[in-house]
Amino acid sequence: MKFNTKAIHGGQEHDPAYGAVMPPIYQTSTYAQSTPGGHKGFEYSRTHNPTRKALENAFASIENGNYGLAFGSGLAAIDAVIKLLSPGDEVISTNDLYGGTYRLFKHVFEKFGIKFHFVGMESVSNVEAKINENTKLIWTETPTNPMLNIIDIKALATVAKKHNILLAVDNTFATPYLQQPLDLGADIVMHSATKYLGGHSDVVMGALMLRDKEIAEKLYFIQNASGAVCGPQDSFLVLRGIKTLHVRMQRHCENGKAVAEFLASHPKIEKVYWPGFETHPNHNIAQTQMKDFGGMLSFTTKGNDYDKSIKIVENLKIFTLAESLGGVESLSGHPASMTHASIPKEEREKTGVVDSLIRLSVGIEDEADLINDLKQALELI
Ligand SMILES: *Cc1c(COP(=O)(O)O)cnc(C)c1O
């Protein structure tokens, strides 16, 4: 089955009760038993729920995995992966990382004796330099947020395999429509399904997808034991979102390209970060491991003026100034004062998060309306 068909049918069966085409929302915590242990595969909804199961099957299918797991948020999914580890274990992670992932690693798990190294993964030798006998996991994210750096998943997988280390990829920005890390050698794929998989900014959810039975069983155990599951209503919403993922992504990519090219040609713009440009430092890797370049981009204005960037985001009318990304509607964000505000100025500027940087999640509205919106806001500075 090809991806566009999988997005709609992957892992899905018509409901066994009445043949409902969409899995019903099984809004129940428990299931009747005829005799102790006499049930139909479902006992308690922390452990299993039919709507969540249908979603987990879809998760596995769209990432070409054998197993899928759904969690109450993206961070809950990451939390479950780190719980595979033990005190003394070490993790090598990208330094250009989703802020919440950094916070979870550094401020929750480090005190339990797990050590995290943060390195620039554009060069695999930086990763190899940190490997020792305690290294159990490599955690990466590509494209990165908000600088849109691209990391070579295949090259990382080769290093991970050589040293018998697990490789996990946060595939939130790319989605399985653009990039399928399990096919490139990763062991675990993670998503904030809050973003493109859900796609409509109406749900918070996390996902894990993988092929290995032994690791999957450990993760299902953690999912049930720790209990950070999502409810049936949210499962239904994300399942519905996935059915249009390929169509939405196609438009996100088209609009992303149009907006990137418009900004790059605008006299008030200094630099546009978008992996589709031939001048992007990892454009070649993006071209080989991604099908297209996605709907996320960042840009800076000439003079790198904080106040001017604030003025732009305040005056955009179709792009809503908000956290999050990946929904049908276009959003803008100002990393220096929003997502990356907690990082000291000198630190964030080292990775490129300067005062004038604006991040856009380009939605699927009309291309001309999006460009006109940017045009009018740029006229004001
Ligand atoms: C949003 C996001 C997360 C966290 O997911 P939540 O659903 O908000 O918990 C992790 N990684 C990336 C890349 C994200 O964009």
Side-chain angles (χ1 to χ4, degrees):
M1 223 187 259
K2 296 259 183 14
F3 185 81
N4 294 355
T5 311
K6 276 189 174 184
I8 295 165
H9 299 288
Q12 301 306 299
E13 287 160 19
H14 296 158
D15 181 63
Y18 299 107
V21 169
M22 273 305 282
I25 302 168
Y26 281 95
Q27 194 76 48
T28 185
S29 61
T30 192
Y31 308 82
Q33 304 191 9
S34 55
T35 182
H39 56 75
K40 297 175 177 172
F42 296 90
E43 290 170 273
Y44 185 61
S45 282
R46 172 163 31 74
T47 321
H48 298 112
N49 173 282
T51 319
R52 195 177 90 218
K53 195 75 229 152
L55 173 67
E56 290 179 329
N57 291 342
F59 279 164
S61 170
I62 57 174
E63 281 287 4
N64 299 334
N66 298 327
Y67 306 96
L69 296 95
F71 293 86
S73 71
L75 285 171
I78 302 172
D79 177 275
V81 174
I82 304 304
K83 285 175 178 162
L84 291 169
L85 307 178
S86 302
D89 288 348
E90 298 189 12
V91 179
I92 304 172
S93 163
T94 33
N95 59 1
D96 190 7
L97 187 67
Y98 176 73
T101 309
Y102 176 83
R103 182 176 57 199
L104 177 65
F105 288 175
K106 202 73 194 151
H107 301 302
V108 177
F109 281 110
E110 208 163 71
K111 69 169 183 275
F112 293 107
I114 297 165
K115 193 168 174 183
F116 296 89
H117 302 276
F118 299 93
V119 304
M121 289 195 177
E122 296 76 45
S123 163
V124 177
S125 59
N126 291 345
V127 177
E128 280 196 292
K130 292 284 181 209
I131 293 177
N132 63 40
E133 72 278 6
N134 297 323
T135 313
K136 297 287 156 59
L137 175 70
I138 296 172
W139 185 274
T140 196
E141 202 183 296
T142 179
T144 66
N145 174 26
M147 299 315 298
L148 284 301
N149 288 319
I150 301 292
I151 291 156
D152 188 338
I153 298 172
K154 217 172 192 169
L156 271 186
T158 307
V159 170
K161 290 234 159 27
K162 187 169 125 197
H163 297 275
N164 203 19
I165 300 167
L166 287 179
L167 172 62
V169 178
D170 181 336
N171 204 27
T172 300
F173 267 39
T175 83
Y177 173 79
L178 295 177
Q179 167 176 290
Q180 295 177 316
L182 297 179
D183 287 350
L184 299 169
D187 300 290
I188 301 171
V189 170
M190 173 263 153
H191 282 272
S192 169
T194 312
K195 316 295 168 55
Y196 287 105
L197 299 189
H200 296 75
S201 305
D202 51 11
V203 64
V204 173
M205 190 188 285
L208 297 177
M209 298 82 161
L210 69 163
R211 288 185 182 158
D212 185 88
K213 184 164 188 244
E214 203 179 315
I215 307 168
E217 280 171 356
K218 286 180 186 166
L219 286 169
Y220 284 122
F221 178 84
I222 292 166
Q223 183 193 40
N224 181 48
S226 288
V229 294
C230 52
Q233 172 86 28
D234 287 353
S235 299
F236 176 87
L237 285 172
V238 173
L239 197 49
R240 183 163 79 162
I242 289 172
K243 288 179 191 284
T244 55
L245 178 63
H246 52 302
V247 187
R248 286 186 285 111
M249 286 312 294
Q250 227 172 331
R251 184 63 67 85
H252 281 297
C253 291
E254 285 168 20
N255 285 356
K257 181 174 193 283
V259 168
E261 286 171 352
F262 163 74
L263 289 171
S265 69
H266 196 284
K268 288 182 182 168
I269 300 296
E270 177 71 33
K271 192 161 167 48
V272 183
Y273 298 89
W274 178 65
F277 288 130
E278 275 175 30
T279 50
H280 183 285
N282 302 108
H283 174 70
N284 290 341
I285 299 164
Q287 241 178 349
T288 45
Q289 76 185 12
M290 297 171 76
K291 182 181 179 149
D292 204 337
F293 304 108
M296 296 299 301
L297 60 95
S298 296
F299 66 97
T300 55
T301 48
K302 291 229 163 90
N304 188 31
D305 189 307
Y306 185 94
D307 294 330
K308 280 185 183 162
S309 283
I310 299 295
K311 195 160 185 187
I312 294 172
V313 293
E314 281 176 353
N315 283 288
L316 285 168
K317 294 187 167 64
I318 296 176
F319 285 86
T320 304
L321 177 62
E323 304 276 357
S324 202
L325 60 109
V328 290
E329 64 288 297
S330 292
L331 300 181
S332 69
H334 184 250
S337 63
M338 293 167 75
T339 47
H340 292 60
S342 59
I343 306 170
K345 188 173 156 84
E346 314 82 67
E347 281 301 308
R348 65 173 160 79
E349 292 201 337
K350 267 188 226 161
T351 58
V353 184
V354 296
D355 281 349
S356 77
L357 190 80
I358 293 173
R359 188 190 79 178
L360 298 180
S361 171
V362 182
I364 64 170
E365 300 96 334
D366 186 86
E367 180 186 306
D369 286 337
L370 295 179
I371 288 172
N372 285 333
D373 191 27
L374 288 160
K375 210 179 265 175
Q376 64 80 23
L378 283 164
E379 267 163 24
L380 302 173
I381 63 161

